[in-house]
Amino acid sequence: MPIAQEPTLTFDPGGTAGATVTADGTWQVHALAHRKTMKAISTQLGRAGPDAQWDLSAIDSLDHIGAQLFWQAWEYKRPASLKLAPGQEEFFKRLEATGKLELPRQRGLHMNWITTLGSGVLHFGEHLQGFVRLIGQVVQDLWRFVAAPQRGPWKEISANIFHAGFQALGITALVGFLIGVVLSYLSAQQLRNFGGDIYLVNLLGMSIIRELGPLLAAILVAGRSGSSITAQLGVMRVTEELDAMLVMGISHGFRLVMPKVVALAISMPLLVIWTDTMALIGGMVSAKLELNLSARYFIQKLPDAVPLANYMIGLGKGAVFGMLIALVSCHFGLRIQPNTESLGRGTTTSVVTAITVVILADAVFAIVFNGVGF
């Protein structure tokens, strides 16, 4: 195999006829692959320009890569004076026939924001329609369950109560206790300035039992159990278990969705009571340390400070929040496509949407029961 000679360019300023550029050596990819060689050749080609007289007859061997370098230096057209060796004409004929690559101009979208807004509205309407359809399906399944309870999914309901309720006792107790400590500590500092130490029980009782307890429990369950429900249904879609259930004549709503809705409607009020209790215990401990309020005074004062209606509102919030979390999680779980990317995106969207819906529902409760419990 002959040894490749380094590609070179020779410039002759010439006279009135103009400059002459002579190329020799090997103009193939293996000779041009060296970084220093390629840099030097590109610099020289840029200085030459297409108006000079080009002589390529001294080149030992030429391939498409070398021809492309000359073609770019000539600004994608054949120079007026060009001398080629036999066999080189074919390369430049192909490049000449190809022409200069021009990408189609993209049309500017001046009203792109309207398209984005319309797409978002249609997407939201599609989700809302599917969510309403899911609620209707759950109502039908509940009626079927009430009509024939002996054939109901009792094992599924029990299992979901265990997973969504009992296994969440630890995290809800920890977060509730810490929130009670923080809220009591900060409130005590402000009440001490105005001599209102005895009103700490009123402040903690109303805020925790009516608002913070149900909301904290719902957010924790939405992040913990809501993501689990969506991921479970998504994995069943990926492994084609949902399709197998339909082939076997088993309803998704009756065996998968309705048990989760019933289980969270039962377990969420119990978790609200548990979270309220732990938060009040945390507040009681902090009140003893900060304001020297005894636990006996705290417990005796609490029933008078918080009317019974607030307990009922808190328990009602828990049941409604639980059903909303289950419905949102099942809605996104059943819409997951059979691929892992859709599974991850659907689970994330489910948790964010469930927490948002819970906060919106809490705002509705605050408006509707504005004059109740005071």
Side-chain angles (χ1 to χ4, degrees):
M1 180 178 180
I3 300 176
Q5 298 181 5
E6 183 178 350
T8 57
L9 285 176
T10 304
F11 294 88
D12 183 6
T16 56
T20 302
V21 183
T22 305
D24 59 1
T26 302
W27 288 73
Q28 291 183 333
V29 62
H30 62 274
L32 296 168
H34 300 288
R35 184 176 181 180
K36 293 183 178 180
T37 302
M38 190 66 186
K39 185 177 181 180
I41 290 296
S42 299
T43 304
Q44 293 175 339
L45 287 174
R47 280 174 23 204
D51 297 331
Q53 300 179 14
W54 291 80
D55 184 3
L56 309 185
S57 59
I59 292 178
D60 297 335
S61 56
L62 179 72
D63 62 2
H64 287 89
I65 302 301
Q68 183 67 38
L69 288 176
F70 286 115
W71 193 250
Q72 291 175 352
W74 299 340
E75 298 178 356
Y76 303 98
K77 60 183 179 181
R78 189 185 292 261
S81 177
L82 176 62
K83 183 178 181 181
L84 298 175
Q88 295 177 352
E89 181 68 26
E90 185 66 26
F91 293 111
F92 295 104
K93 280 186 177 180
R94 291 181 182 179
L95 291 172
E96 200 170 15
T98 303
K100 186 177 180 179
L101 180 62
E102 294 183 359
L103 296 176
R105 292 182 59 188
Q106 295 183 354
R107 297 178 58 186
L109 301 177
H110 302 290
M111 309 297 287
N112 190 31
W113 65 273
I114 296 182
T115 305
T116 304
L117 178 62
S119 176
V121 171
L122 291 176
H123 194 59
F124 174 77
E126 180 185 358
H127 277 284
L128 185 62
Q129 181 183 7
F131 189 72
V132 173
R133 188 184 300 115
L134 182 63
I135 294 176
Q137 181 65 45
V138 170
V139 172
Q140 291 181 346
D141 292 331
L142 284 172
W143 178 254
R144 174 185 170 187
F145 178 45
V146 172
Q150 69 278 5
R151 301 180 60 185
W154 291 104
K155 290 184 179 180
E156 288 84 350
I157 294 175
S158 176
N160 281 283
I161 290 176
F162 175 76
H163 292 300
F166 179 77
Q167 292 186 342
L169 291 177
I171 184 64
T172 52
L174 176 62
V175 174
F177 182 84
L178 295 177
I179 290 295
V181 170
V182 171
L183 185 60
S184 176
Y185 179 79
L186 295 177
S187 301
Q189 288 183 330
Q190 298 300 319
L191 291 174
R192 187 187 296 113
N193 297 331
F194 300 98
D197 299 358
I198 60 175
Y199 295 106
L200 179 63
V201 181
N202 303 62
L203 181 60
L204 286 179
M206 288 295 294
S207 60
I208 290 175
I209 293 175
R210 186 178 176 116
E211 288 295 333
L212 286 181
L215 195 60
L216 276 177
I219 291 176
L220 291 174
V221 169
R224 182 186 176 279
S225 301
S227 60
S228 174
I229 291 172
T230 305
Q232 178 190 10
L233 296 176
V235 170
M236 293 179 71
R237 174 72 70 187
V238 173
T239 58
E240 300 182 351
E241 293 180 59
L242 295 179
D243 298 332
M245 290 179 65
L246 291 179
V247 172
M248 296 169 64
I250 301 175
S251 172
H252 292 165
F254 191 73
R255 287 292 172 180
L256 295 177
V257 179
M258 191 267 291
K260 293 175 172 53
V261 174
V262 174
L264 281 178
I266 295 173
S267 58
M268 270 299 298
L270 302 177
L271 283 176
V272 168
I273 297 175
W274 174 252
T275 307
D276 290 347
T277 303
M278 298 307 299
L280 290 173
I281 291 175
M284 190 186 309
V285 172
S286 180
K288 176 64 176 177
L289 298 176
E290 281 294 311
L291 301 178
N292 199 25
L293 293 178
S294 65
R296 168 182 273 183
Y297 173 81
F298 201 98
I299 296 173
Q300 288 178 347
K301 184 69 175 177
L302 188 61
D304 298 329
V306 184
L308 183 62
N310 294 283
Y311 292 94
M312 298 297 105
I313 291 175
L315 295 179
K317 282 184 178 182
V320 173
F321 292 168
M323 289 187 291
L324 288 175
I325 291 170
L327 287 171
V328 170
S329 302
C330 292
H331 168 73
F332 284 98
L334 293 174
R335 293 173 66 91
I336 288 177
Q337 301 299 319
N339 58 78
T340 54
E341 181 182 358
S342 177
L343 176 61
R345 185 171 60 249
T347 304
T348 303
T349 307
S350 170
V351 173
V352 174
T353 306
I355 294 176
T356 305
V357 169
V358 164
I359 295 175
L360 290 175
D362 185 68
V364 172
F365 267 95
I367 295 172
V368 172
F369 296 98
N370 184 31
V372 181
F374 297 101

